[in-house]
Amino acid sequence: MSPEPDAFLGGILRLHQPPRGAHRAGTDAVLLARLIAPAPGDRLCDVGAGTGAVGLACAALHPGTRPTLVERDPELAELARANAALNGIDAAVIEADVLAPATERRAAGLEPDSFDLVLTNPPFFTAGSHRPSPHPGKATAHTFPEDGLDLWIRACTAILRPGGRLGLIHRADALPACLDALKGRYGGIAIRPVHPRAETPAIRVLIAATRGSRAALSLLPPLVLQGPDPKAFTPEAEALHRGAPWPPA
């Protein structure tokens, strides 16, 4: 655990994280937390929560939101509990393997159709498709079995009520696999590509979708992270990272 908590969202949230070299929350977590604003009273679930960054960020930005954080690693789950307490956020932490059979997930406390909003940052790679990190926790956080993405989305769908919203972030080149996993389960799919700079290809996609909807797919304007100065965010990316509204009032 980091000796001092990291400032997240411009200090709105403080997070204890694993040591450097392990899987740590950063820009991906910020973008996912800002993707869909929970409505008042929404039941929110952060699936694959790690130290709780996404779910806790949503709760910090939208007071009154009580997130449920789902994490299979006991050490990360304990950090998520500590981070919730540190920030005075009433959060439930469930230790469960998202890819476990439905009976095991239910026994852990993940009931079907029980959430209005599910946010998730699935592992980015299938086993054998990349060189895994030498850090065991980081390797596990980044790697799936062959059919893992479809199983992961299926598990998220099971706990999401009909008409509920799903938000996820993934590699840009995984967009076809994401759409395959959403097919027949979701509509109203909105895709926003994320580019490091305006002249470079997208590296991430942000996807929002509604369970059971028949609405058409939409491709949103891109989010560009950096301007001419490679050390500075664009105004929009800076506002998102500071927890400020965008567009500004």
Side-chain angles (χ1 to χ4, degrees):
M1 181 172 69
S2 50
E4 293 295 329
D6 296 336
F8 211 66
L9 296 176
I12 295 172
L13 185 71
R14 294 176 296 157
L15 285 177
H16 283 296
Q17 300 214 61
R20 296 196 179 277
H23 179 67
R24 295 166 61 88
T27 290
D28 285 358
V30 169
L31 299 184
L32 181 57
R34 302 297 305 268
L35 177 60
I36 302 174
D42 267 0
R43 298 160 297 172
L44 164 67
C45 188
D46 176 1
V47 174
T51 59
V54 172
L56 296 177
C58 278
L61 290 167
H62 304 280
T65 302
R66 183 178 186 266
T68 296
L69 313 175
V70 180
E71 174 54 47
R72 72 176 181 180
D73 184 312
E75 293 184 6
L76 292 179
E78 192 55 38
L79 272 179
R81 292 186 185 93
N83 285 331
L86 176 66
N87 290 278
I89 294 172
D90 181 17
V93 178
I94 294 177
E95 293 183 32
D97 184 349
V98 180
L99 301 182
T103 52
E104 291 185 22
R105 299 196 308 268
R106 194 173 302 182
L110 291 173
E111 293 293 334
D113 305 337
S114 56
F115 293 100
D116 304 290
L117 174 60
V118 170
L119 298 176
T120 188
N121 182 355
F124 277 180
F125 302 100
T126 55
S129 68
H130 74 119
R131 178 178 294 179
S133 167
H135 191 286
K138 192 170 187 178
T140 299
H142 288 177
T143 306
F144 259 148
E146 185 63 36
D147 58 349
L149 181 60
D150 186 73
L151 293 173
W152 190 281
I153 296 299
R154 188 182 304 172
C156 290
T157 305
I159 62 173
L160 186 64
R161 67 164 175 82
R165 295 171 296 167
L166 173 73
L168 68 95
I169 187 169
H170 214 303
R171 301 185 336 267
D173 64 336
L175 177 58
C178 291
L179 292 177
D180 282 346
L182 295 172
K183 186 176 181 180
R185 299 167 178 153
Y186 293 88
I189 298 170
I191 303 165
R192 189 173 195 196
V194 180
H195 299 251
R197 294 177 296 280
E199 70 277 11
T200 60
I203 57 170
R204 298 284 187 269
V205 283
L206 289 160
I207 302 174
T210 301
R211 183 183 172 190
S213 171
R214 296 185 178 181
L217 179 147
S218 58
L219 184 61
L220 303 180
L223 169 61
V224 178
L225 296 178
Q226 295 174 331
D229 181 355
K231 296 182 180 179
F233 285 125
T234 60
E236 181 179 8
E238 175 67 21
L240 294 175
H241 279 81
R242 287 190 294 107
W246 188 267

